[in-house]
Amino acid sequence: AMGNSVSGLPYEEGERVEFRSHLFDLSAGSKKTEEKDPVLIFKFKFKKSAANGRDLAIAQRSLTKLRSLKHPYILSFIDSIDSEEDLILVTETAVPLETWLQRQLDAKVTPNDIFQEINWGFRCLLMALDFLHNQGTMTHSYVCLESIYVCPNGDWKLGSMELSCKAGNFEDESFLRAHNQYLDRDYLPPERDRFDDLTIQRAKGAIDIYSAAVCMQKVFNKLVDTPPQYTKYLKAM
């Protein structure tokens, strides 16, 4: 329903946003201020007491991990609530990449025009990964269409940090190993098929680069044939 208050947080909940996730419902929202600044609201689909432990652990982790990361091409954390029964994450306003793509296609934007925006989007995505891999010495580990968001200004941002893993951090590596298959098979690089303790140290950011190439391929498949200038890079990735 329009205009629902989000329990315990100073936001109004607006329209539902199409989103493929078995953990979160997504809706547009706004701050309860004069300016009514737009936000994006992720709501855990289950009451916490009814959720299974795996889903709850992954969802809670997406809140804490996102809160700790700041970068121009990582979805900005604004607020969260982790109460007795509810789990809610509030971020800057954006739409999931798949929703954005569908809107472009519905609006009959020419593939050439979309391509300009996608070119920029891929650059944003790779800069976010570069930051994680080199400044953060971590892998994102969940790069897929569902983890990429498009902001009103056309910037693409990486979200869904639930599997992010700092190299050499025992807790992170154990969590990733336990939930490795949470990333859809399509995106899983060969290194993650036989997961062992050294996978992350050895593979470094390569596991994300593989997944990013799959994302790019899927984006092109929805629009047009892969532009020839991309082919050799996608192969290398």
Side-chain angles (χ1 to χ4, degrees), residues 55-148:
D55 286 350
L56 184 57
I58 291 172
Q60 278 175 319
R61 203 176 162 86
S62 70
L63 269 63
T64 52
K65 287 287 184 184
L66 192 64
R67 181 190 283 128
S68 67
L69 286 164
K70 284 195 176 24
H71 184 266
Y73 302 122
I74 288 176
L75 195 65
S76 299
F77 174 94
I78 294 180
D79 217 335
S80 68
I81 190 163
D82 188 346
S83 66
E84 285 286 295
E85 284 296 342
D86 290 316
L87 200 58
I88 295 165
L89 167 66
V90 182
T91 70
E92 66 181 311
T93 186
V95 294
L97 176 56
E98 287 185 278
T99 306
W100 178 84
L101 273 172
Q102 197 50 56
R103 286 179 188 173
Q104 307 303 307
L105 295 171
D106 294 345
K108 307 270 191 286
V109 179
T110 70
N112 218 23
D113 289 341
I114 303 179
F115 183 62
Q116 293 306 316
E117 301 208 42
I118 283 170
N119 242 340
W120 173 251
F122 289 157
R123 185 172 178 273
C124 297
L125 173 63
L126 292 170
M127 284 173 76
L129 289 175
D130 179 61
F131 164 74
L132 292 176
H133 298 163
N134 296 317
Q135 266 71 54
T137 59
M138 67 199 297
T139 58
H140 181 277
S141 329
Y142 189 60
V143 177
C144 55
L145 292 184
E146 293 92 87
S147 66
I148 302 168

Side-chain angles (χ1 to χ4, degrees), residues 9-10 23 31 33 42 49 51 54 70-71 75 77 100 104 107 111 119 129 137 162 197 220 227 234:
L9 285 172
L23 293 190
K31 291 185 180 170
T33 54
F42 295 77
S49 52
R54 173 179 178 263
K70 284 195 176 24
H71 184 266
L75 195 65
F77 174 94
W100 178 84
Q104 307 303 307
N119 242 340
L129 289 175
T137 59
E162 46 267 39
D197 285 3
F220 289 136
L234 287 174

